[in-house]
Amino acid sequence: MGGPVGDKPPDRLNVVLPSAKQALPARWPGGRPLLSRLARRISLPYFFQPMTPVIAATAAFIEDKFKAEGAGHDWPHIWRVWQVTRTLAQEHEGPGLNQEVAELAALLHDIADWKFHGGDYEAGPRAARAWLASQQVPEATVARVEQIIREVSFKGLGVATPVSSPEAAVVQDADRLDAIGAIGVARAFAYGGHKGRPMHDPAVPPVSHADFEHYKQSTAPTLNHFYEKLLHLKDRLHTPAARRLAARRQQFMEEFVAQFLAEWEGRA
């Protein structure tokens, strides 16, 4: 765990088997049994997936932290990004990919999103470091997760967002897939409503932001977000598997925007 890109992923174990009871603390802070709580609270399809103790503990921690979030960056979003990251990692071809690093970054990628922390871009990496340090995760792994979190975010249509590792590529792709399609449409309007933005204002044209600072300061109507970001994400994906998954989502989103405008203008 935590070596350079290309290292063999760590051995896996099944969290629900007796061996996991030895690897995980018996009780969660607050006195409730951790394993029974995980079995009850975390959906069974992934509870029965093999995962290392730190991934299981991180999933439970993040679920608790984001279970009541209502702006589209909630636990179900993080869960989907985690699961798609696993899928993309399994289909990865090329230099070795550290599965545990990718999964930890997926689970922690929104732990302190700059959008909810005054534009502080380092809030997320700092919070991820604090959590991983509390779990005695090796420094090499912590640093890699921090870097992936820095690289995940979209920063404006005119700003390149390269990745430095295969782990960052699959996490960024998974996060962007969750921003398009039916879920992406719902999340966009959930966030816009949370920020008190109008759905659409024809008098406010979309902007191709040339730098991250201007992108962060945008208060545009929600529909503009489709032209300024969402409709372009398909062409910024790194992995063949992600591009394949994006095709139907892109079609749905384009059809949604066309129907929205037709209804807005009284044509449909």
Side-chain angles (χ1 to χ4, degrees):
M1 180 170 65
V5 174
D7 282 0
K8 179 182 177 182
D11 292 336
R12 319 299 282 174
L13 55 86
N14 192 311
V15 177
V16 299
L17 296 180
S19 60
K21 294 182 181 179
Q22 300 167 7
L24 290 170
R27 304 188 78 80
W28 189 257
R32 296 161 68 183
L34 175 59
L35 287 175
S36 63
R37 182 174 180 278
L38 281 170
R40 183 171 66 254
R41 297 286 311 283
I42 298 179
S43 70
L44 290 177
Y46 84 75
F47 182 69
F48 284 95
Q49 292 174 1
M51 63 182 94
T52 60
V54 69
I55 290 175
T58 301
F61 167 67
I62 291 295
E63 183 192 18
D64 258 5
K65 184 177 178 66
F66 289 96
K67 61 186 177 184
E69 201 277 346
H73 296 74
D74 51 8
W75 166 242
H77 159 66
I78 296 166
W79 180 85
R80 290 189 301 269
V81 171
W82 176 26
Q83 295 309 296
V84 174
T85 292
R86 291 173 63 104
T87 298
L88 299 181
Q90 289 166 4
E91 296 193 29
H92 171 74
E93 298 179 357
L97 180 150
N98 187 307
Q99 181 94 11
E100 184 171 62
V101 168
E103 291 190 39
L104 287 172
L107 284 164
L108 294 167
H109 80 280
D110 270 346
I111 188 172
D113 193 308
W114 61 265
K115 292 187 286 296
F116 306 104
H117 289 79
D120 183 358
Y121 192 59
E122 284 298 308
R126 280 198 307 272
R129 170 172 286 276
W131 165 254
L132 293 173
S134 77
Q135 302 299 301
Q136 292 81 49
V137 173
E139 169 59 28
T141 296
V142 175
R144 293 174 71 185
V145 171
E146 280 186 306
Q147 185 58 29
I148 293 169
I149 292 171
R150 291 188 183 99
E151 294 177 359
V152 164
S153 290
F154 184 85
K155 300 177 177 68
L157 192 55
V159 183
T161 51
V163 294
S164 60
S165 66
E167 295 87 359
V170 297
V171 176
Q172 190 186 82
D173 278 4
D175 188 43
R176 292 182 174 185
L177 283 169
D178 209 55
I180 63 177
I183 290 290
V185 169
R187 292 182 62 224
F189 284 97
Y191 180 75
H194 174 77
K195 301 295 282 188
R197 298 178 183 176
M199 291 193 299
H200 179 42
D201 184 346
V204 181
V207 175
S208 178
H209 299 98
D211 59 74
F212 189 33
E213 286 305 313
H214 284 94
Y215 178 72
K216 287 196 294 185
Q217 295 166 14
S218 175
T219 59
T222 297
L223 196 70
N224 287 30
H225 194 55
F226 288 80
Y227 296 100
E228 296 171 352
K229 175 184 176 180
L230 305 186
L231 290 167
H232 301 275
L233 292 179
K234 175 180 67 71
D235 297 326
R236 294 190 172 204
L237 298 172
H238 303 282
T239 63
R243 290 193 288 271
R244 185 179 69 248
L245 291 171
R248 178 67 187 98
R249 301 185 188 208
Q250 181 76 11
Q251 180 184 352
F252 177 92
M253 198 163 48
E254 291 173 355
E255 291 171 353
F256 170 83
V257 171
Q259 182 68 18
F260 180 99
L261 290 173
E263 292 181 18
W264 185 277
E265 296 164 3
R267 297 183 285 107

